[in-house]
C-alpha cells in the first residue's frame, strides 16, 4: 500500500510549521529586546540572568554601550528572521503560489526578498560574532555565539547566493513563459 502525499498537504504542514517558527522567533527576539532595554535603563543586574539564561553581565560591566550594540545586533538578526518567516506565511496564506504556473512575478519578488533578508542576516550575524570575539579578546566573558543565536553567518550568506540564483532562474522562466503566451 502506497501513501501519496500531495503538494497541497505538504504546503499546509509547512504553513503550520512556519507559524510556529515565526511565533517562536518573535517571542525570542522580543525577549532579547525587552531585557536589553530593561537592563540598560532600569536594572543592570538583569544582564546577569539575561533572556534564555544568558549571562551578559561581564559585557555590561565592560561597557553598557557595547552591551546595547551587541543586543541590538542580536535583535536585528532575530527581526530579520521573523520577517523572513512572515513572508513565507504571507505567500502561502494569500495563495500567491500558483502551482500550475509557478513562474510568476509574485514568487520572483518573494525569492528576491528572501535572498536580501538572508544576506542581511548573514552580514549582521557576522558583525555580531566578530564583535563578540573582539570583546573576548579584551577579556570580556561572552556566551557562545550559538547561544546568542548569531552563529552561522557563512551559511546565511551561502543561502542568499543560492536564492539570488534561483530568483534569476525564475526571472528567466517568467520571460520564457511570457514569450510562449505571446506566440499562442
Amino acid at each position: 500500500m502506497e501513501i501519496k502525499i500531495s503538494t497541497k498537504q505538504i504546503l499546509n504542514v509547512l504553513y503550520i510549521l512556519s507559524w510556529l517558527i515565526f511565533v517562536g522567533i518573535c517571542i525570542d527576539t522580543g525577549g532579547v529586546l525587552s531585557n536589553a532595554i530593561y537592563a540598560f535603563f532600569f536594572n543592570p543586574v538583569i544582564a546577569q540572568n539575561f533572556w534564555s539564561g544568558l549571562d551578559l553581565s561581564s559585557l555590561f560591566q565592560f561597557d553598557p554601550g557595547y552591551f546595547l550594540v551587541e543586543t541590538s545586533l542580536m535583535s536585528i538578526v532575530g527581526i530579520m528572521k521573523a520577517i523572513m518567516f512572515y513572508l513565507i506565511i504571507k505567500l502561502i496564506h494569500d495563495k500567491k503560489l500558483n502551482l500550475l504556473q509557478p513562474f510568476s512575478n509574485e514568487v520572483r519578488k518573494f525569492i528576491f526578498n528572501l535572498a536580501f533578508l538572508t544576506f542581511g542576516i548573514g552580514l549582521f550575524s557576522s558583525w555580531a560574532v566578530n564583535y563578540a570575539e573582539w570583546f573576548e579578546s579584551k577579556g570580556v566573558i561572552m556566551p557562545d555565539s550559538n547561544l546568542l543565536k548569531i552563529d552561522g553567518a557563512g551559511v546565511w550568506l551561502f543561502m542568499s547566493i543560492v536564492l539570488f540564483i534561483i530568483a534569476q532562474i525564475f526571472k528567466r522562466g517568467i520571460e520564457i513563459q511570457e514569450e510562449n503566451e505571446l506566440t499562442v
Side-chain angles (χ1 to χ4, degrees):
M1 180 180 218
E2 187 176 315
I3 298 175
K4 189 162 185 163
I5 301 172
S6 71
T7 304
K8 186 174 180 176
Q9 290 171 321
I10 292 172
L11 282 174
N12 285 336
V13 169
L14 292 174
Y15 180 70
I16 293 167
L17 286 174
S18 295
W19 263 109
L20 292 172
I21 294 169
F22 173 72
V23 169
I25 291 172
C26 287
I27 290 170
D28 195 55
T29 303
V32 169
L33 269 171
S34 60
N35 275 240
I37 292 168
Y38 188 76
F40 189 77
F41 290 108
F42 302 109
N43 187 3
V45 174
I46 200 169
Q48 187 174 13
N49 191 18
F50 199 71
W51 182 254
S52 298
L54 294 175
D55 184 0
L56 297 177
S57 59
S58 180
L59 176 60
F60 195 90
Q61 290 169 359
F62 180 69
D63 189 314
Y66 287 147
F67 168 84
L68 196 59
V69 170
E70 185 69 18
T71 54
S72 295
L73 290 171
M74 291 166 54
S75 299
I76 289 169
V77 168
I79 289 167
M80 293 178 90
K81 288 177 184 177
I83 291 170
M84 188 172 70
F85 277 94
Y86 172 77
L87 291 177
I88 292 168
I89 291 166
K90 187 166 172 38
L91 178 79
I92 297 171
H93 181 267
D94 292 348
K95 300 189 184 348
K96 298 227 175 172
L97 183 62
N98 181 357
L99 297 177
L100 297 175
Q101 282 193 316
F103 294 104
S104 66
N105 279 321
E106 289 86 11
V107 175
R108 182 187 63 83
K109 288 178 190 173
F110 166 76
I111 295 171
F112 265 118
N113 286 337
L114 285 187
F116 283 115
L117 280 168
T118 55
F119 185 73
I121 292 168
L123 284 179
F124 282 101
S125 293
S126 177
W127 188 9
V129 167
N130 290 338
Y131 214 42
E133 288 171 355
W134 180 76
F135 294 139
E136 287 176 338
S137 73
K138 299 292 182 191
V140 177
I141 300 168
M142 290 292 294
D144 195 37
S145 62
N146 66 337
L147 294 174
L148 296 172
K149 296 182 175 89
I150 54 172
D151 58 338
V155 174
W156 287 105
L157 292 171
F158 178 77
M159 185 173 152
S160 72
I161 292 169
V162 170
L163 286 170
F164 277 121
I165 291 168
I166 292 171
Q168 291 302 320
I169 292 169
F170 264 74
K171 184 179 177 183
R172 181 64 185 137
I174 292 167
E175 291 169 357
I176 291 171
Q177 192 170 288
E178 289 173 352
E179 288 173 8
N180 286 339
E181 288 173 3
L182 291 175
T183 58
V184 172

